[in-house]
Amino acid sequence: MATTFGPPAHMAAFTDVDERWGPLAKLAGQWAGDKGRDFSFSYGEKKDTENLYREEITFDPFGPVDNGKQSLFGLDYRMKAWRIGADDFFHMEVGYWLWEPATGTLHRCFMVPRSTTIVAEGKAAAGDTGFKLSAKQGSPTNGILSNSYLYDGAAKSTGYELEVDLSGGTYAYKEDLVLAMASHGGAEMHHTDENTLQKVS
Ligand code: HEM
């Protein structure tokens, strides 16, 4: 059976970006970068470790999405990451970036396949080439949800911060997910990731 992929019928189809996408306009397209640095707890090595990775990410524009009076301009994004030298990917993300021109609010609403969902928010001006977003455990708006195994102690996400720099034509990001981990006696550790990607199309 033939399938199609794209936004549901009540949204405009994938499209070209214009000024209505504000600071997200520069992100539209495909990017790749092999300077990724991840810091996380390795169960194999039983210690916090650094992992070098390469990454591919696609941002497909859509919109506007209207929630009553609220109008959002979005990018549908899909990301995969591979350890340097490996053929199989080890991390994925799917989600949406959304820009609300009326309030200058950015939303990044995304999932990682450990059963964790984050809605991060931040403020920006339409012409900004850098912005910061955050989410925190327990917030009903910019919050973090995880499956019960993770939340109940194995790796409870307590806060998330993301910084993006689009100046200079690259997509550079740094993110910091604070995890209270059973492997650390319940103490918090900073699971951090950063990369700088080049536009490939
Ligand atoms: C904000 C986005 C992310 C979230 C919510 C997230 C979530 C998590 C969680 C909850 C764990 C702990 C799992 C456990 O204790 O069993 C973890 C571990 C890990 N994450 Fe992430 N992560 C994110 C981004 C990334 C990125 C971008 C990468 C690499 C490209 C990455 C690579 C890893 C690795 C290598 C581990 C350790 C796995 C192991 O050795 O057991 N994560 N992540």
Side-chain angles (χ1 to χ4, degrees), residues 38 40-44 51 53 79 81 83 90-91 93 110 112 114 116 118 149-150 154-155 157 160 173 175 177 179 181 191 193:
D38 164 80
S40 53
F41 178 75
S42 163
Y43 287 89
N51 303 286
Y53 64 93
M79 172 275 213
R83 289 177 200 275
F90 77 124
H91 179 81
E93 293 170 14
F110 69 105
V112 299
R114 296 176 186 273
T116 299
I118 296 179
Y149 170 79
L150 292 172
S157 301
Y160 172 74
Y173 71 84
E175 61 187 359
L177 178 71
L179 293 171
M181 296 193 66
H191 172 17
D193 290 279

Side-chain angles (χ1 to χ4, degrees), residues 108-188:
R108 184 189 181 195
C109 172
F110 69 105
M111 293 184 288
V112 299
R114 296 176 186 273
S115 194
T116 299
T117 299
I118 296 179
V119 178
E121 286 186 10
K123 292 286 185 186
D128 283 355
T129 55
F131 35 85
K132 293 179 183 177
L133 280 71
S134 65
K136 54 187 180 297
Q137 180 54 244
S139 169
T141 54
N142 53 321
I144 305 170
L145 287 178
S146 303
N147 73 47
S148 53
Y149 170 79
L150 292 172
Y151 181 84
D152 289 344
K156 179 177 182 171
S157 301
T158 60
Y160 172 74
E161 290 182 3
L162 168 70
E163 194 170 346
V164 171
D165 180 3
L166 298 171
S167 64
T170 57
Y171 164 39
Y173 71 84
K174 289 184 180 178
E175 61 187 359
D176 182 357
L177 178 71
V178 184
L179 293 171
M181 296 193 66
S183 55
H184 295 57
E188 290 186 336

